[in-house]
Amino acid sequence: MNGCLCKSGKAYQDCCQPLHDGQQTASTCEQLMRSRYSAFCLQLGEYLFSTYHPDYRGDLTVAQLSEQSLDWKNLEIVSTETDIDKGFVEFKAWYHSEGQLRCHHELSNFVKQQAQWFYCDGAFYPEQKSGKIQRNDSCPCGSGKKYKKCCG
């Protein structure tokens, strides 16, 4: 894998892999968000579980988080807000489902405890808020093609 799945512009081994392998912890909530997106793409349930705040996991299991649920295509960070021990990341994660390109648009809530960031929960925006993709727009899947020639 050349470029990291989180679309940071870095190589995977210089970006999310050290977090996934337990060699590092995320230094920002955005870095954790990006690494969790990559972990969903790679079905790394143990990593997703360990970075999910215990108070918010409910009955969620490693096995459930390891299941391939969606065909993730691209990640777009909309905004990030960080305080000393809490943070928010608004993002759009694009995926294919039922032959269509769809958007998971979320404002995620993170906390930092004992020098480690954890995902807590998120507010989900309706897909309509993500904006209608015009035929001549760049495809949000990240292919670099026009939407009409790619997923449209």
Side-chain angles (χ1 to χ4, degrees), residues 109-139:
N109 178 30
F110 297 86
V111 295
K112 188 175 186 181
Q113 293 180 333
Q114 299 172 343
Q116 184 172 343
W117 284 101
F118 292 94
Y119 170 78
C120 294
D121 58 8
F124 304 99
Y125 295 105
E127 196 167 0
Q128 297 80 8
K129 183 183 185 294
S130 301
K132 178 109 171 95
I133 307 165
Q134 302 299 316
R135 290 176 40 80
N136 288 320
D137 289 346
S138 293
C139 191

